[in-house]
Structures are given as structure tokens and as C-alpha cells.
Amino acid sequence: MLVVIGRIGRAHGVRGDVTVDVRTDEPERRFAPGSSVVCGDGTLTVASARPHSGRFIVKFQEVADRTAAEALRGSVLEARIDPDELPDEEDVFYDRQLIGLDAVTEAGAPIGVVTDVVHLPAHDTLAIDASGREVLVPFVAALVPEVDLDGGRVVVVDVPGLLDPDTAEVSRPEGA
């Protein structure tokens, strides 16, 4: 199975290095020297990689100079992953494990189905299709206390306004 692990940004220097906007929690593993990544219809081999200003600087063996590096700008990088592979850490999940799970309240009432995991700077967010309406739920323990992969569900705390905007608590200015 192919999993997106990054997107190539601009060239870095004149020797063919590129910046990579990382889309994986395991960049040191996915961009380890000698590893292969899928780029379009081809495969690239990582020669070296290092963190730099929130991104990675990666040198691929097949990219000889700045011109070749610029030609790859915007390309999506993917890794071949064994579908049974799981993260090493407890309470860490791959996006593919979460997408398709049923979302339910703590009382067991159905909310919808997880359709995507949105990676934001502060935290990841679950996109849930709630009867045709998209609900975004921050993927933090206070709001998603339970992920049951075997049971095919995530439990979401029904905080006023989170699942139904009409139930949000609204503060009003004094005298209003």
C-alpha cells in the first residue's frame, strides 16, 4: 500500500538537494539513507536527509543538480507500507487506521464516519461526515478519549457546539 510521506518543495543549493514538507510522524525512518520513495511513476533513493527549519533537506541519488531538483517541485512522495504495519508507540495511529472508523458519543449515539485526518500545526483533527455535514474534531485525548480499532470506532466527547453548532454556548456583552 502507498502512503503519502511528503511533498517536494524548492531546490536547496546547487547539488540537487530539495526541501520536503514532511507528512509523516516518522521522517527519520521514511527518509533514512538508502530507503526508496515513490515519486510519480518512478522511484527515488534517499542519499541523505536532515531536518531544517521545520522541513527536511533531502538528497536523492537520482537528482544530480539544481535543475533536476526544481523539476520535481510539488511532487508527492509516497512510501510502500505493509498494510499490517503499526506504529511503535501506544496511542499513536496511522491516518489509514482512523479513516473509515465510526464516530460515536460517549453514550454510544452515532455521529458519523471519519473521512480524513487533517494535520494542523497545533494538533491533528478528525474530519467526520455527520449525515452529509463535515464536523472537525481536534484529535486530542480530552475530546477523543477512546480509539477502538478492533471495534471500528472512535469515541467523541459531545462538548456543546462541537458536534452541533446550534448548541454552542454564546456569551453576550453586558446590557445586551
Side-chain angles (χ1 to χ4, degrees):
M1 123 183 291
L2 288 175
V3 176
V4 174
I5 60 169
R7 179 181 296 274
I8 295 177
R10 61 187 192 150
H12 183 82
V14 295
R15 295 191 175 120
D17 294 5
V18 294
T19 60
V20 173
D21 185 17
V22 176
R23 296 284 182 236
T24 176
D25 288 342
E26 303 171 313
E28 292 83 8
R29 179 179 178 191
R30 302 297 176 205
F31 294 103
S35 62
S36 295
V37 297
V38 175
C39 181
D41 294 333
T43 301
L44 298 172
T45 306
V46 177
S48 65
R50 67 184 191 281
H52 178 74
S53 299
R55 293 195 167 112
F56 260 50
I57 303 293
V58 181
K59 171 69 177 153
F60 294 108
Q61 291 177 5
E62 297 81 2
V63 182
D65 57 25
R66 184 176 184 89
T67 303
E70 282 294 342
L72 293 174
R73 189 174 189 162
S75 297
V76 172
L77 298 173
E78 299 173 300
R80 293 191 191 284
I81 307 288
D82 179 350
D84 296 327
E85 181 181 320
L86 300 175
D88 295 332
E89 299 176 42
E90 188 177 322
D91 293 333
V92 175
F93 305 95
Y94 290 133
D95 293 1
R96 62 183 161 79
Q97 293 176 284
L98 299 171
I99 295 172
L101 294 180
D102 291 325
V104 298
T105 65
E106 292 173 297
I111 299 167
V113 177
V114 177
T115 58
D116 196 8
V117 180
V118 183
H119 301 280
L120 301 173
H123 52 76
D124 293 339
T125 300
L126 299 179
I128 300 172
D129 179 359
S131 301
R133 181 176 53 89
E134 183 178 61
V135 175
L136 299 176
V137 176
F139 190 42
V140 295
L143 296 175
V144 184
E146 182 182 343
V147 176
D148 180 3
L149 295 177
D150 293 332
R153 69 187 191 124
V154 293
V155 175
V156 177
V157 175
D158 190 6
V159 175
L162 180 64
L163 302 175
D164 182 4
D166 295 334
T167 63
E169 295 177 3
V170 180
S171 62
R172 306 216 186 274
E174 281 188 37

